[in-house]
Structures are given as C-alpha cells and as structure tokens.
C-alpha cells in the first residue's frame, strides 16, 4: 500500500478532536501538559500499529524505528506540541506525514535502511520561552545549565516540571546519540506565512532557515524643554531612531530580506520634553550569511549617520544572533522533483521561523523541509488553516520525497 494522504488527514482530524482544533478554540497541546501527553499517546498507538519499536530519549523526544536490511537511517518527524490556542496544523501536519511514511514503509516490507520517526519535545517553548528544546538537545546546542531555573507563569521551575515527565535536565544532551547513523532528515510543515498562497501555490521546497541579527540601539542626546528649545538646536534621539527605522525598510527591500523595528522607548517620555534617550529593538533576517552581514553593516552605518545628523550618539548592543542554516543541496533536489511531479510547480523558499529541522541540519545531518501553503499566512492562532487540496498535495510530495530518499539511502 503506497503513501496515502487521506490516512494522514484522518490523523490530523483525530488529534484535533482529542486536543483542540479550528472549531474548538484552537489546539491545546502545550508541551509538558496532560493534553500534550494525550496527543502523543494517540500518535504512539498509531506508530505501534506499524510494528515500529517505540521509545523515548533523555530529552523527552519520542522515537519509533522500522529496522532496515542495510546501513543508514532516514529520519522523518516534527512536533506534536502547540502554542496555547494554537493552530490545528503547526507541527502535527509533519507528525501525520511522518507517521504515514512509517505506515507506507512498513506495508511495503523491510526497508533498505532504517526509517526513524521522531516527535520532538517542546518545539514551541510556549511554557518556558525556550523554543526547540528537544531538537537542540539532540543537536547538542542546548545548554542545560541555562535552562534549569527558567520558570513558567505560575513560578514553577523547568527542572522540576520536566522531572514530572521523567526528563532530567542534566541528562538531556545524551539524546544526541540518536543521530548516530542518520543520513537524512525530512520534515513537512505549514509555511506559517503568506508567500505560497500569494503566488497561488500549494507546496514549496525549503532551502534553509534564515539567519537572524538582533540588536538594541541606544541613542543618547539631550532632554530639553519642548517649548523653549528651537528645532535646529535639539539633540532629539527619537528623530534619530525614526530616521534609522525608515532606512531599515530600504535596507530590507534592497537585499530582499526583512528588517523589523520591534519597538522603541523614549525617555523622559512626556509630551513637554525632547526625548534625551531612545532605545530601539531591531531584528534583521536573511537566508544568505554575507548578505545578512551587509544588512547589519548598513543598519549600523545608518544609525551612526542619523545619530550624528541629529546631534546624538548611538551604541549598539547585540542581543542574539543565529547564522543562516542552509539545507542539503542533494535533498533539496529530491524534494523539488517530488513537488514538481505532484503539483506541476517548483517554488523554493527560505523559512523565516526556525524549526526542529534547523537544529538537525546544524549537526551536519543532510536535511530538507517541504512547506504547504498557509491560508492568509496565519499561524499560532486558532484561525490557522490550509485548503485540504493543498494539504493532500503537500503530503503526497513529502511522501514521494521520503520514499526516494529511503530507497536511495543505501546507494548514496
Ligand atoms: Zn511548528
């Protein structure tokens, strides 16, 4: 029996019935909660029916293995967890697709290489504000000491909460051994943005996740009376920040990237004073590392120029950064040809959001993702949706790509 998208769609509906979907106020599968466990239990029962061996690693990720006749291991997976009142597709579309890969593979007999399913724990970081928990434990980029004392909204410590789910924070990096022998990782996901839909496309191939530069700009000038200080004698930090913000849009357009001013705060912050200090939060993203470096340099130059022109100074503080994470060229070609055969279209795009796939790719395991369209580009909300025909096409393309990788893995 070949890969059957209708069985994956049935899984998606069953998970939504169990733990929330579009018609019930949104998904309730926040990681480290009872409803997350309930959704995982459904998936594990379905995995067990394929004859796969199921177990959990030290970071709480669920794995299921169909042993192959030869060497190598192809991994398929995503995450069951959601944000509060989340969408019915984020994460679980990839889980349903990966589950169906195991079903179809097991029905076809012993695969030529081992096929592993993974449900990564706490991709969303909804409770403790640390995304990609399970996958970064596997990749080795997680730092347990930084996490133990994180607290949720009710003041509960991460270390204590995880212990309730049999996860010892000091042990989680041992999960890294799960990638031993891995030759490929394939993940299906919704786009969570408007690009495919705006071009009338159902499916796209993801070439990697974008790099991020996140900075805080501190503009310093001089607070002064709003009535007595002539315009030309002001040192107005808000104006310096505002002119920089406008230039950030031009930088983004020039490089086909994105720049966001997430917020700006001025002091003294009263209508009768020229703002003497302004702090501005800036986020820049691009798929190409050199271009991202250029975008950051142009931002810094603009901030310094506009600060000087307004009689102010500026200091830039790096808050966070991550390199672009390109996916594997060979797997991208396999995914593109599968998408082309199933849909008649061939669109590649970078992912703005990070995904578990990015963590796997960082370890050097060849990785690729397939995206379905997202209606109105909305995600992390109960309105999240994708036309059923697009889900079917995306599942079909993903299943075809996975099948080709599994059957090519032994010879690659
Ligand atoms: Zn997701």
């Amino acid at each position: 029996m070949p890969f059957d998208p209708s069985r994956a769609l049935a899984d998606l509906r069953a998970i939504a019935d169990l733990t929330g979907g579009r018609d019930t106020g949104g998904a309730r599968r926040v990681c480290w909660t009872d409803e997350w466990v309930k959704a995982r239990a459904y998936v594990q029962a379905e995995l067990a029916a394929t004859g796969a061996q199921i177990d959990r690693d030290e970071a709480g990720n669920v794995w299921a293995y169909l042993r192959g006749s030869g060497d190598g291991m192809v991994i398929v997976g995503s995450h069951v967890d959601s944000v509060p009142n989340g969408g019915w597709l984020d994460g679980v579309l990839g889980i349903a697709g990966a589950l169906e890969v195991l079903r179809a593979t097991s029905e076809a007999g012993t695969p030529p290489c081992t096929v592993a399913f993974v449900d990564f724990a706490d991709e969303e970081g909804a409770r403790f504000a640390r995304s990609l928990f399970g996958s970064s434990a596997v990749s080795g980029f997680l730092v347990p000491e930084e996490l133990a004392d994180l607290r949720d909204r009710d003041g509960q410590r991460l270390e204590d909460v995880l212990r309730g789910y049999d996860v010892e924070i000091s042990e989680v990096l041992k999960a890294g051994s799960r990638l031993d022998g891995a030759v490929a990782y394939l993940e299906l996901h919704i786009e969570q943005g408007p690009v495919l839909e705006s071009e009338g496309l159902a499916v796209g191939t993801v070439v990697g996740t974008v790099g991020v530069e996140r900075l805080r700009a501190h503009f310093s000038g001089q607070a002064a009376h709003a009535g007595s200080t002539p315009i030309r004698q002001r040192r107005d930090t808000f104006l310096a920040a505002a002119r920089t913000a406008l230039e950030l849009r031009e930088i983004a357009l020039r490089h086909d990237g994105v720049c966001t001013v997430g917020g700006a705060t001025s002091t003294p912050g009263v209508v009768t004073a020229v703002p003497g200090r302004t702090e501005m939060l800036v986020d820049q993203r691009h798929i190409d590392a050199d271009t991202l470096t250029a975008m950051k340099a142009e931002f810094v130059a603009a901030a310094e120029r506009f600060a000087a022109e307004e009689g102010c100074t500026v200091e830039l503080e790096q808050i966070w950064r991550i390199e672009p994470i390109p996916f594997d060229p060979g797997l991208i070609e396999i995914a593109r040809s599968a998408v082309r055969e199933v849909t008649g279209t061939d669109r590649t795009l970078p992912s703005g959001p990070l995904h578990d796939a990015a963590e796997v790719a960082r370890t050097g395991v060849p990785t690729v993702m397939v995206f379905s369209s997202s209606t109105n580009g909305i995600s992390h909300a109960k309105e999240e949706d994708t036309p059923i025909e697009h889900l079917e096409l995306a599942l079909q393309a993903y299943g075809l790509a996975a099948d080709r990788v599994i059957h090519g893995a032994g010879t690659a």
Side-chain angles (χ1 to χ4, degrees):
M1 181 107 170
F3 186 97
D4 181 357
S6 70
R7 292 192 295 199
L9 288 171
D11 291 324
L12 282 171
R13 293 191 182 101
I15 294 168
D17 285 345
L18 267 181
T19 55
R22 270 173 311 171
D23 308 325
T24 51
R28 303 179 301 264
R29 295 180 292 277
V30 173
C31 199
W32 321 117
T33 66
D34 291 348
E35 295 213 274
W36 171 65
V37 172
K38 198 198 260 187
R40 288 189 126 187
Y42 169 87
V43 173
Q44 286 171 59
E46 293 297 317
L47 287 166
T50 71
Q53 298 166 265
I54 303 169
D55 71 330
R56 247 180 42 143
D57 68 23
E58 293 83 351
N61 304 310
V62 169
W63 295 83
Y65 297 94
L66 289 174
R67 297 290 168 194
S69 54
D71 290 342
M73 175 173 68
V74 173
I75 307 173
V76 290
S78 192
H79 61 99
V80 158
D81 74 308
S82 74
V83 296
N85 311 110
W88 76 296
L89 299 170
D90 179 1
V92 280
L93 173 62
I95 288 292
L99 167 58
E100 181 57 21
V101 167
L102 257 69
R103 282 198 194 104
T105 304
S106 119
E107 285 163 3
T110 302
C113 67
T114 293
V115 181
F117 163 102
V118 60
D119 165 18
F120 285 114
D122 207 357
E123 192 270 351
E124 301 287 1
R127 189 163 167 188
F128 293 100
R130 173 49 161 101
S131 303
L132 306 174
F133 174 86
S135 52
S136 64
V138 166
S139 71
F141 286 93
L142 184 138
V143 182
E145 306 80 63
E146 291 178 358
L147 268 58
D149 282 328
L150 290 181
R151 287 170 194 271
D152 68 7
R153 220 181 290 171
D154 302 323
Q156 289 192 272
R157 287 175 73 233
L158 179 138
E159 180 168 22
D160 301 333
V161 170
L162 267 56
R163 197 166 281 147
Y165 293 87
D166 296 320
V167 174
E168 278 299 329
I169 187 71
S170 58
E171 302 286 296
V172 298
L173 293 178
K174 290 183 181 168
S177 66
R178 297 293 176 144
L179 296 184
D180 292 352
V183 297
Y185 175 74
L186 295 96
E187 181 171 346
L188 172 64
H189 208 281
I190 52 168
E191 182 198 334
Q192 303 180 284
V195 173
L196 292 172
E197 182 187 56
S198 69
E199 295 178 17
L201 301 173
V203 191
T205 303
V206 187
V207 295
T209 58
V210 297
V212 182
E213 292 281 0
R214 206 168 279 172
L215 292 100
R216 188 182 279 119
H218 301 264
F219 291 92
S220 301
Q222 178 60 56
H225 195 289
S228 64
T229 317
I231 288 287
R232 292 191 192 285
Q233 291 173 36
R234 293 182 179 196
R235 299 171 60 203
D236 186 329
T237 56
F238 180 80
L239 288 180
R243 293 176 69 190
T244 307
L246 292 174
E247 181 60 20
L248 277 162
R249 179 173 58 182
E250 301 308 313
I251 293 169
L253 289 169
R254 208 152 50 226
H255 294 288
D256 198 17
V258 290
C259 297
T260 304
V261 175
T265 314
S266 294
T267 49
V270 294
V271 76
T272 50
V274 174
R277 293 188 68 84
T278 297
E279 268 189 30
M280 185 167 81
L281 287 165
V282 174
D283 179 288
Q284 297 182 287
R285 304 185 186 215
H286 203 282
I287 186 68
D288 180 70
D290 293 340
T291 309
L292 184 59
T293 301
M295 285 168 60
K296 180 181 168 185
E298 288 174 29
F299 158 53
V300 172
E304 286 170 351
R305 176 158 60 92
F306 292 122
E309 287 182 15
E310 299 296 335
C312 304
T313 58
V314 64
E315 276 178 47
L316 293 151
E317 174 198 357
Q318 186 98 39
I319 307 169
W320 186 68
R321 69 186 305 273
I322 188 167
E323 292 283 322
I325 301 169
F327 292 159
D328 180 71
L331 287 182
I332 290 171
E333 280 316 305
I334 292 172
R336 285 178 69 179
S337 71
V339 171
R340 210 163 32 227
E341 282 173 47
V342 169
T343 68
T345 64
D346 176 19
R347 174 67 149 100
T348 58
L349 70 169
S351 173
L354 286 169
H355 289 286
D356 293 317
E359 284 297 324
V360 177
R362 288 171 93 181
T363 69
V365 172
T367 295
V368 74
M369 292 183 80
V370 172
F371 274 172
S372 76
S373 73
S374 284
T375 303
N376 299 320
I378 292 172
S379 186
H380 284 188
K382 65 178 177 0
E383 292 81 10
E384 175 186 287
D385 206 1
T386 299
I388 292 297
E389 321 81 77
H390 289 195
L391 291 176
E392 285 169 341
L393 291 168
L395 284 159
Q396 195 81 61
Y398 176 74
L400 182 58
D403 190 64
R404 289 195 177 148
V405 173
I406 290 163
H407 287 91
T411 57

